[in-house]
Amino acid sequence: MTSKNSTDNNNKISEYGFDKYNFDPVAWSNAMNDISQRGQKLMADFMKNQQVNNENIDIEQLSPDKINLDPFNIGDAFSQMTKSMMENPEDIAKAQSDLFSNYISLWQNTTKQMLGEESSDTITPLASDKRFTDEAWSENAIFNFIKQSYLLTSDFMHKTVNDVDGLSGSDAKKINFHTNQFIDATAPTNFLMTNPTVIRETIDSKGENLVNGLENMLNDLEKGKGKLRISMTDANAFEIGVNIATTKGQVVFQNELMQLIHYQPTTKDVYKTPLLIIPPWINKFYILDLKEKNSFIKWALDQGQSVFIISWVNPDESLRHKDFTDYMKQGPITAIDAIKKTTGEKQVNVIGYCLGGTLLAATLAYLHVKNKAECVKSATYFTTMIDFDDAGDLGVFIDEKQISAIEEKMDERGYLDGSEMATTFNMLRSNDLIWSFVINNYLMGKQPFPFDLLYWNSDSTRMPATMHSFYLRNMYLENNLIKPGGITLDGVAIDLTTIKTPSFILSTCDDHIAPWMATYAAKNTYSGPVKFVLSGSGHIAGVINPPTDKMKYGYWLNNRKCKKPESWLKGATKHEGSWWPEWNVWIEKYSDGKVAARAPEDCKLKIIEPAPGSYVKQRIDKT
């Protein structure tokens, strides 16, 4: 026999639309009970496998004075913000009044939706926000209320912190960035009880998703040795040299910092001037060789380029004293000499990507003083900063306290752990690179999809202590590279204004790592001819944009010399498709015609091993 209260409750469930999404309270209760029992067993097995004993715990490191409770040094910034807000209480009162007014509107609209009346949303997500695509977020009154409540509160927080006067530029950026991190972390999509997709999956699978999710989380904890290293892709789906980084070539030189790869030509004739690529050592080179259809290396070979690339070592403690000068001399300078020797050519064209481009610029200024700059016929820079005055979102991680904390960690180990660097970059796009995987892996209980780009993104590298400290302080903190004589490498004062090498600068309009308006400074710094191209999308996708990829993104050109990037963009013309052919037309002018193809085995350097070599296969999670 059914009670009146039970009938009323069931009617409410139906009225609010829960039945449409298979929300059965009894099934839910049974599933949660089963999850609890099975979850306890998984946790017990996990703790047993860890074999933790007190003898391995450094109690001193757990004492309060040894624990950094503010690793991002945001306490002072938020204290200053609070002080400024208290000095302008009318701004706070207005913001709160607007929020209250919006909530009144939200409650009224939610009531109308519950009663089946026509209603409109008080606030809607941005078109680019993919978190609320499930129809329940719009059709179900309760979830629609949760969604809009979150969006209203987020908007209130954004406006409150953005409208505070009296803050320094660095404090304002830091507050805004970490406020965004908090907002992203507290989204209702990230929690079981407020995500309709997860609730539906839990009912349908009888809680199997949560059990699987707990197991996924424990596996990630074990992989990270107690720290959560979120799996972004199926790492077992890829093997370097087998189904990723497969372009044929040979390692023809190596030292303790790098291997030099000479790729097998794919055309009968090649351009006479060989091409050297300097990737960043923060990441591995095969972002330029993920698979054949989007491999810049393979495409360049098919255009007739004679391609060489540096593959940096994944350094350990033994390389802790390697500095920026070592990376310059044992990297591009040594590579250029090796290429000249093996091909018999006197000049090379060089590409530098991100930090590799920063190193390329410093190297050219160094070679100018040494009267050797003519060995580089042209220079191409992918998403490269030489002026770090506006370092974008990365700037929030740069101040004296944070760098000192990083240096303290590096002094202990001899390097900066790659996982810490990866976490920093992932925070720049937390919804895409953190929370989407929390939902997929831990709430939905699914395995991450095999994706080559995310495999590369997870294949992080270490930074030698001495080099990385120099880089953080002289580039990001003090912005010395852009100052003539601001840094010294191997006893040479570096002046980027002396660079006369013809330059092609490729920047991307949505770059969070190297903001394009900051990279534009190079156009007004180098004294040689400069071609500036702005690609669509971001730091990776804007670069890895092959001509065969359905005309994605496009790029902007403006041959006029403009002092300000805003003026350049205003006069620029947008072109559809990939910028790669535009670069190919440009580089041909500095390639000195064609010669018979040069295979690695026919050249003067001894072959060490097949590409992609052994250095690139050194993973930090397998050592």
Side-chain angles (χ1 to χ4, degrees):
M1 185 174 180
T2 305
S3 68
K4 183 177 183 302
N5 287 341
S6 176
T7 301
D8 288 345
N9 288 337
N10 286 335
N11 287 338
K12 287 182 178 179
I13 291 172
S14 177
E15 179 184 344
Y16 295 166
F18 279 77
D19 58 333
K20 180 178 179 180
Y21 302 102
N22 300 320
F23 297 154
D24 183 341
V26 176
W28 175 262
S29 177
N30 291 336
M32 296 304 291
N33 182 58
D34 184 48
I35 291 164
S36 176
Q37 294 180 14
R38 296 165 68 187
Q40 288 178 25
K41 183 180 184 303
L42 279 173
M43 284 296 296
D45 291 343
F46 172 75
M47 295 305 297
K48 183 179 180 181
N49 289 338
Q50 295 304 295
Q51 296 180 338
V52 176
N53 63 70
N54 291 335
E55 294 180 1
N56 293 328
I57 299 176
D58 186 351
I59 300 298
E60 288 188 7
Q61 293 301 316
L62 299 179
S63 61
D65 60 319
K66 293 286 186 178
I67 300 175
N68 186 0
L69 300 178
D70 186 13
F72 300 118
N73 190 30
I74 60 176
D76 291 343
F78 274 93
S79 294
Q80 186 59 46
M81 181 192 73
T82 303
K83 179 182 177 182
S84 297
M85 291 172 68
M86 291 301 100
E87 292 174 353
N88 297 281
E90 64 276 6
D91 293 338
I92 301 176
K94 184 180 184 305
Q96 290 177 334
S97 176
D98 291 343
L99 178 63
F100 182 74
S101 176
N102 286 328
Y103 261 104
I104 292 294
S105 173
L106 173 58
W107 292 330
Q108 290 173 340
N109 289 330
T110 300
T111 301
K112 288 181 181 180
Q113 186 176 7
M114 284 183 167
L115 295 174
E117 299 177 10
E118 187 173 340
S119 63
S120 59
D121 287 350
T122 304
I123 188 171
T124 57
L126 296 173
S128 58
D129 191 343
K130 307 302 182 185
R131 294 174 295 178
F132 302 102
T133 55
D134 192 306
E135 61 182 10
W137 288 113
S138 298
E139 296 185 11
N140 181 275
I142 291 181
F143 285 114
N144 197 6
F145 176 86
I146 292 172
K147 174 192 70 178
Q148 292 187 71
S149 177
Y150 166 73
L151 293 174
L152 284 175
T153 305
S154 301
D155 188 58
F156 165 75
M157 294 178 69
H158 275 300
K159 290 179 178 178
T160 301
V161 301
N162 287 337
D163 292 344
V164 176
D165 294 327
L167 295 177
S168 68
S170 59
D171 279 351
K173 288 180 180 179
K174 190 176 294 187
I175 288 169
N176 186 61
F177 179 83
H178 287 287
T179 298
N180 287 337
Q181 294 299 308
F182 176 80
I183 289 171
D184 290 346
T186 56
T189 47
N190 298 337
F191 301 94
L192 164 62
M193 298 302 293
T194 52
N195 187 324
T197 310
V198 177
I199 293 175
R200 187 186 308 116
E201 180 67 22
T202 303
I203 295 297
D204 291 346
S205 71
K206 296 181 172 57
E208 191 71 26
N209 60 310
L210 299 183
V211 176
N212 292 339
L214 178 59
E215 189 167 10
N216 289 342
M217 184 177 69
L218 296 178
N219 288 337
D220 286 349
L221 281 168
E222 190 168 14
K223 179 177 67 177
K225 299 178 181 178
K227 295 182 179 179
L228 190 63
R229 284 193 62 192
I230 302 174
S231 298
M232 295 184 178
T233 187
D234 180 3
N236 295 321
F238 300 99
E239 185 177 350
I240 295 175
V242 175
N243 60 354
I244 195 170
T246 58
T247 300
K248 295 186 181 303
Q250 302 288 340
V251 175
V252 294
F253 178 87
Q254 71 179 36
N255 56 32
E256 58 187 343
L257 284 183
M258 65 92 175
Q259 289 188 319
L260 181 65
I261 298 171
H262 182 183
Y263 285 100
Q264 196 76 27
T266 61
T267 56
K268 182 178 179 181
D269 297 325
V270 297
Y271 287 109
K272 188 172 186 291
T273 306
L275 176 67
L276 169 65
I277 302 175
I278 310 170
W281 54 92
I282 286 176
N283 300 106
K284 295 187 177 178
F285 81 84
Y286 64 89
I287 185 60
L288 295 167
D289 189 32
L290 290 174
K291 48 193 173 187
E292 184 171 338
K293 73 175 185 177
N294 63 358
S295 169
F296 179 83
I297 292 171
K298 176 63 166 60
W299 180 85
L301 289 167
D302 291 344
Q303 310 315 303
Q305 293 293 337
S306 188
V307 182
F308 294 77
I309 197 168
I310 288 174
S311 173
W312 299 102
V313 73
N314 199 345
D316 57 19
E317 186 179 2
S318 66
L319 298 175
R320 66 184 303 150
H321 296 302
K322 290 295 179 181
D323 59 18
F324 208 81
T325 295
D326 292 319
Y327 270 80
M328 178 184 71
K329 296 182 72 175
Q330 294 184 252
I333 290 179
T334 296
I336 289 169
D337 288 342
I339 293 169
K340 288 163 61 179
K341 177 181 178 181
T342 198
T343 63
E345 300 297 334
K346 295 181 179 180
Q347 293 180 300
V348 299
N349 292 315
V350 186
I351 295 175
Y353 193 165
C354 189
L355 177 52
T358 305
L359 178 64
L360 171 58
T363 301
L364 289 174
Y366 173 87
L367 291 174
H368 172 80
V369 175
K370 296 291 186 177
N371 296 315
K372 295 181 179 179
E374 70 280 356
C375 70
V376 178
K377 199 164 189 179
S378 77
T380 298
Y381 302 88
F382 293 168
T383 61
T384 293
M385 293 183 67
I386 59 170
D387 184 348
F388 292 77
D389 183 56
D390 181 8
D393 288 342
L394 276 178
V396 304
F397 299 101
I398 306 298
D399 57 41
E400 181 58 43
K401 288 185 178 179
Q402 291 187 86
I403 291 180
S404 294
I406 292 172
E407 288 173 334
E408 187 175 345
K409 287 183 180 180
M410 292 193 298
D411 286 343
E412 293 175 2
R413 296 178 297 209
Y415 56 83
L416 179 66
D417 191 84
S419 62
E420 296 172 5
M421 182 75 71
T423 298
T424 297
F425 285 114
N426 291 343
M427 287 177 69
L428 301 182
R429 293 175 53 208
S430 61
N431 278 327
D432 292 334
L433 297 178
I434 297 177
W435 297 113
S436 65
F437 294 102
V438 168
I439 296 168
N440 181 80
N441 300 4
Y442 306 150
L443 297 183
M444 297 296 288
K446 297 179 179 180
Q447 294 298 320
F449 186 77
F451 189 14
D452 54 3
L453 178 59
L454 290 177
Y455 177 85
W456 168 84
N457 188 64
S458 300
D459 191 6
S460 49
T461 58
R462 307 181 190 94
M463 297 291 107
T466 303
M467 182 285 302
H468 200 56
S469 176
F470 178 92
Y471 176 56
L472 291 178
R473 288 192 173 277
N474 284 276
M475 277 60 165
Y476 279 98
L477 186 62
E478 300 173 8
N479 196 21
N480 288 330
L481 180 62
I482 195 65
K483 305 169 187 174
I487 67 170
T488 299
L489 300 177
D490 191 33
V492 172
I494 301 301
D495 183 355
L496 301 185
T497 65
T498 63
I499 295 175
K500 299 178 181 179
T501 309
S503 300
F504 183 103
I505 299 174
L506 185 279
S507 299
T508 59
C509 62
D510 296 323
D511 199 327
H512 296 285
I513 296 171
W516 83 267
M517 288 192 179
T519 65
Y520 187 84
K523 185 170 175 60
N524 295 315
T525 299
Y526 306 145
S527 57
V530 177
K531 182 181 182 70
F532 186 88
V533 178
L534 181 64
S535 172
S537 196
H539 195 73
I540 300 300
V543 176
I544 311 304
N545 182 25
T548 57
D549 204 4
K550 299 180 181 178
M551 306 294 284
K552 290 171 68 175
Y553 307 132
Y555 61 96
W556 288 262
L557 288 177
N558 183 356
N559 292 325
R560 290 181 58 201
K561 186 162 185 173
C562 301
K563 283 288 185 182
K564 295 183 178 180
E566 297 91 345
S567 301
W568 182 93
L569 183 60
K570 186 176 180 179
T573 302
K574 184 174 182 181
H575 298 260
E576 298 300 324
S578 170
W579 59 268
W580 291 11
E582 186 75 32
W583 172 82
N584 193 53
V585 171
W586 179 86
I587 197 73
E588 187 176 9
K589 295 184 296 184
Y590 305 100
S591 297
D592 203 20
K594 295 283 187 79
V595 296
R598 298 173 288 224
E601 59 270 19
D602 298 330
C603 293
K604 296 180 181 179
L605 291 177
K606 182 180 179 181
I607 291 174
I608 297 173
E609 60 182 339
S614 54
Y615 282 17
V616 74
K617 296 178 182 179
Q618 299 168 349
R619 290 184 63 93
I620 64 172
D621 53 4
K622 291 186 178 181
T623 56

